[in-house]
Amino acid sequence: MSEKHEHPVRLRWSDPDMLGHVNHARALSLLEDARLAMVDGRPGGSMILARLEVDYLRQLYYRVGEELVVTSWVTRLGTKSFTVRQELVQDGEVAIRADVVLVVFDFESNSSRVLTDDERAHWSRYLPA
C-alpha cells in the first residue's frame, strides 16, 4: 500500500520579504521540515541531500495563522539513493514543487551505502502503487 506523507507547516512572521511573499530560501526550510518528519526517528534517517531541483510556480504569501501542507512521496527508489517529490499548496494551487535526491550515507566511512531492508521498506511505502 502506498501513501503520501502530509506535513502541516505554518509560515512565520520572518518568512516574507518586503514585497509580502515568502522568500525562496525560507520556503525551502518548510520542505526540509516535511522531509525530516518523514523519517521521524524511523529507519531511513542516515542520509544526505545530493540534489535539489525546485520550481516556484506561484508566489507564496504570508498570512497570519494560515496553515499549509507539504505533501511528499517517493518517485524513485534506487540502491543507494532515492528521489522525493514535494509540493506546497496555497489557495488550492501548487506554489512550490521540488524533487530532492537523497543518498543513504555512512558518516563513519564518509561514503554512500546500500539501503538496508528496513530503510527500503520504510521508503517504499511512499512509492505510488
Side-chain angles (χ1 to χ4, degrees), residues 40-101:
D40 194 26
R42 293 167 282 204
S46 179
M47 63 194 141
I48 58 173
L49 190 143
R51 180 176 169 78
L52 174 65
E53 184 177 340
V54 183
D55 292 315
Y56 297 94
L57 302 171
R58 65 184 292 274
Q59 292 188 69
L60 184 62
Y61 296 99
Y62 171 73
R63 298 178 187 130
V64 176
E66 181 180 28
E67 189 170 276
L68 305 173
V69 173
V70 176
T71 304
S72 307
W73 64 96
V74 173
T75 59
R76 183 193 60 83
L77 188 58
T79 304
K80 295 183 174 185
S81 66
F82 57 97
T83 303
V84 175
R85 163 72 53 96
Q86 296 186 281
E87 293 182 343
L88 178 58
V89 173
Q90 187 177 55
D91 301 329
E93 294 183 41
V94 177
I96 300 170
R97 178 177 297 129
D99 288 309
V100 184
V101 176

